[in-house]
C-alpha cells in the first residue's frame, strides 16, 4: 500500500529537548563527550543517529555543523562552509545510493518559525523507507528570476514558490561539487537574516536530488498563510523583481 503520510511518534516527541524558546534547556549538542551513535566525524562536524527518532519507518540522523552553539550558515568562513556542505552532500548521496531507502531527505531548520527544536546549528539527513519525496517535486518550484549564474550554478528567486512568498533556489549538476553552490546558498541565508524587508529570524534549507541536478531551496519562514494551510494555494508577492535586484546589488555589485 502506498504511504502518503509520515507517522510521528508522539511518545518520543514529548521527550525531545527544546531550547529555541526554552533558554534554560542545556544544549545537548555542546556536550560533545556525551554524544553517542556517531556515524562520521570531520573535526567539529559530526553526523550521528538522532536520539529522538520521532518518525516511523525512517532512519534519522543529525548533522552537527560546528562546536559553536551560536554560529550559522551565514557566518561561516568560506573554507568552513565548503567543508561542511561537502560533508553533508557526501553522506546524503551515500545514503541515497545505499538503496536501503525509498528516498532520503536532507534539510536544515533555523529559528523559532522554522519548525526546529534545538538552536545549535545542525541539519538532518533522514532515510524514508516508504515515502518518495520526489513524487511531490515539480520542476517549476525551482524556477524563478535569475539572480546570478556562474559555471553552471544558478541562484534564483522562485516565481512559483512551493508554499508561497520568498523562496530562493540554488542548483548545480550532480556530477561534482561546485564552490558557487554553497556560496549562493550562504548569500540567500545571509540576505534573509540581514537585509530582508521584513524582520525575520527563521529559514529552512531543503536539498533535493532530482534527475541529474542538486537543488537547495532556501525558504524564509513567517507564520504560514491561511490560504496555504486551508486551501493549498501558494501566494506570490509582487516585488520579486525588486528583491532579485536588491540581492544582486548587495552581493554581486551589479544590476
Ligand atoms: Zn550548543
Amino acid at each position: 500500500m502506498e504511504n502518503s503520510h509520515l507517522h510521528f511518534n508522539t511518545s518520543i516527541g514529548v521527550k525531545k529537548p527544546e531550547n529555541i524558546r526554552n533558554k534554560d534547556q542545556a544544549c545537548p549538542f555542546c556536550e560533545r563527550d556525551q554524544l553517542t551513535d556517531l556515524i562520521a566525524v570531520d573535526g567539529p562536524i559530526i553526523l550521528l543517529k538522532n536520539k529522538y527518532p520521532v518518525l516511523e519507518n525512517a532512519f534519522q540522523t543529525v548533522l552537527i555543523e560546528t562546536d559553536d552553539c551560536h554560529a550559522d550558515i551565514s557566518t561561516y568562513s568560506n573554507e568552513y562552509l565548503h567543508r561542511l556542505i561537502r560533508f553533508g552532500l557526501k553522506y546524503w548521496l551515500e545514503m541515497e545510493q545505499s538503496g536501503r531507502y525509498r528516498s532520503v531527505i536532507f534539510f536544515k531548520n533555523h529559528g523559532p518559525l522554522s519548525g526546529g527544536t534545538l538552536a545549535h546549528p545542525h541539519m538532518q539527513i533522514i532515510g524514508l523507507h516508504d515515502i518518495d519525496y520526489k513524487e511531490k517535486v515539480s520542476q517549476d518550484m525551482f524556477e524563478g528570476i535569475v539572480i546570478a549564474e556562474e559555471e553552471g550554478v544558478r541562484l534564483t528567486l522562485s516565481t512559483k514558490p512551493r508554499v508561497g512568498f520568498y523562496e530562493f533556489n540554488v542548483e548545480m549538476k550532480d556530477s561534482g561539487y561546485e564552490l558557487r553552490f554553497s556560496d549562493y546558498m550562504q548569500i540567500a541565508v545571509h540576505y534573509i537574516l540581514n537585509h530582508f524587508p521584513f524582520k525575520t529570524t527563521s529559514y529552512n534549507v531543503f536539498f533535493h536530488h532530482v534527475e541529474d541536478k542538486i537543488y537547495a531551496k532556501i525558504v524564509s519562514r513567517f507564520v504560514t498563510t491561511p490560504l496555504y494551510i486551508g486551501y493549498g494555494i501558494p501566494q506570490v508577492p509582487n516585488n520579486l523583481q525588486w528583491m532579485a535586484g536588491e540581492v544582486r546589488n548587495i552581493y554581486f555589485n551589479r544590476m
Side-chain angles (χ1 to χ4, degrees):
M1 203 184 75
E2 276 297 295
N3 230 339
S4 62
H5 289 60
L6 199 49
H7 295 269
F8 183 96
N9 185 319
T10 52
S11 58
I12 299 176
V14 293
K15 293 184 201 141
K16 252 177 105 170
E18 192 281 323
N19 74 357
I20 290 182
R21 289 186 176 81
N22 178 11
K23 304 288 181 200
D24 297 333
Q25 169 78 50
C27 175
F29 296 161
C30 279
E31 293 173 35
R32 296 172 75 87
D33 50 351
Q34 305 289 310
L35 298 173
T36 54
D37 292 314
L38 307 193
I39 299 166
V41 178
D42 174 13
I45 306 170
I46 301 175
L47 181 70
L48 73 169
K49 257 172 86 177
N50 193 320
K51 223 173 161 181
Y52 299 93
V54 291
L55 304 175
E56 315 220 312
N57 264 326
F59 178 70
Q60 290 181 248
T61 71
V62 175
L63 197 177
I64 300 175
E65 296 174 22
T66 161
D67 50 15
D68 178 355
C69 205
H70 305 288
D72 176 55
I73 284 186
S74 64
T75 64
Y76 295 142
S77 71
N78 221 260
E79 189 195 348
Y80 197 81
L81 175 75
H82 295 303
R83 180 177 173 190
L84 171 69
I85 301 303
R86 270 182 204 274
F87 179 96
L89 291 175
K90 175 176 185 267
Y91 287 99
W92 173 46
L93 295 175
E94 266 184 30
M95 269 173 76
E96 218 184 51
Q97 282 153 16
S98 73
R100 286 197 294 271
Y101 312 100
R102 184 96 193 273
S103 67
V104 183
I105 51 177
F106 177 26
F107 63 97
K108 174 177 177 62
N109 307 324
H110 174 97
L113 292 175
S114 70
T117 46
L118 289 173
H120 194 116
H122 69 286
M123 300 190 253
Q124 297 184 55
I125 304 176
I126 303 178
L128 303 174
H129 286 296
D130 53 8
I131 289 182
D132 182 1
Y133 76 88
K134 298 177 190 186
E135 285 174 1
K136 301 200 192 286
V137 169
S138 65
Q139 197 53 45
D140 60 9
M141 58 182 251
F142 302 116
E143 280 164 14
I145 302 164
V146 178
I147 296 168
E149 188 165 15
E150 257 179 288
E151 290 149 40
V153 186
R154 196 202 299 232
L155 170 64
T156 65
L157 180 59
S158 276
T159 41
K160 291 192 174 161
R162 179 172 197 147
V163 169
F165 292 93
Y166 307 99
E167 301 180 5
F168 292 91
N169 310 290
V170 183
E171 63 173 81
M172 69 172 176
K173 287 237 169 68
D174 67 358
S175 47
Y177 181 74
E178 294 286 346
L179 299 175
R180 284 272 165 247
F181 181 80
S182 304
D183 294 342
Y184 288 172
M185 205 175 93
Q186 184 175 48
I187 284 171
V189 169
H190 190 272
Y191 177 77
I192 289 170
L193 296 180
N194 296 280
H195 296 284
F196 227 50
F198 324 97
K199 188 168 169 42
T200 174
T201 51
S202 304
Y203 70 88
N204 298 103
V205 181
F206 300 106
F207 294 92
H208 294 78
H209 187 196
V210 185
E211 286 161 12
D212 60 349
K213 285 207 170 139
I214 289 173
Y215 298 92
K217 185 175 259 300
I218 303 106
V219 181
S220 59
R221 294 295 307 273
F222 303 95
V223 171
T224 312
T225 68
L227 291 191
Y228 189 78
I229 298 286
Y231 305 107
I233 304 172
Q235 286 162 269
V236 187
N238 66 358
N239 64 350
L240 293 179
Q241 285 293 355
W242 168 84
M243 185 174 283
E246 278 284 292
V247 177
R248 263 182 233 127
N249 261 343
I250 298 169
Y251 299 95
F252 300 94
N253 221 353
R254 59 188 147 89
M255 276 303 279

